[in-house]
Amino acid sequence: MKYTEEHEWLRLEGDVVTVGITQHASEQLGDLVFVELPSDGQEISKDQEIVVIESVKAASDILAPLDGVITAVNNLIVEEPSLVNSDPMGEGWFFKMKLKNPSDFDGLLDKEDYEKLTQ
């Protein structure tokens, strides 16, 4: 598992990564009330705004962590946004994507570096 400075986690399975927000991010946001996901098959570029989330505190955009193509979205969190709060590193994932350059995954933060960032 890798992390971004924007508090996203990425889990690599073959050449596809599952993307969500970290426990730290979900705690900072507060209770989510709305999630808008990208489209399956959509090509995305690193740092592109691809997910819109609204919590009781604020609205935020989630940026694409890497270049690639969306291969699946978690429609369950559209129906039940609170899943992102209750299980952000599991059932509360946002989308899966096939990476354009799989080697880019190696450049992300490891768990130790991410924990330093959030202290």
Side-chain angles (χ1 to χ4, degrees), residues 48-103:
Q48 175 184 347
E49 296 173 354
I50 54 165
V51 175
V52 176
I53 54 175
E54 292 180 16
S55 72
V56 292
K57 293 182 180 180
S60 302
D61 292 318
I62 303 297
L63 306 179
L66 298 169
D67 297 338
V69 176
I70 301 293
T71 60
V73 294
N74 186 0
N75 287 314
L76 195 56
I77 64 171
V78 173
E79 301 296 321
E80 197 176 332
S82 62
L83 270 177
V84 177
N85 295 111
S86 62
D87 191 11
M89 308 288 282
E91 292 296 313
W93 62 275
F94 286 175
F95 58 88
K96 295 183 182 200
M97 63 184 286
K98 183 171 181 156
L99 299 178
K100 184 175 182 180
N101 301 308
S103 61

Side-chain angles (χ1 to χ4, degrees), residues 110-119:
D110 61 22
K111 185 175 183 176
E112 185 177 296
D113 290 334
Y114 180 72
E115 286 174 352
K116 287 179 192 172
L117 181 71
T118 59
Q119 290 178 350

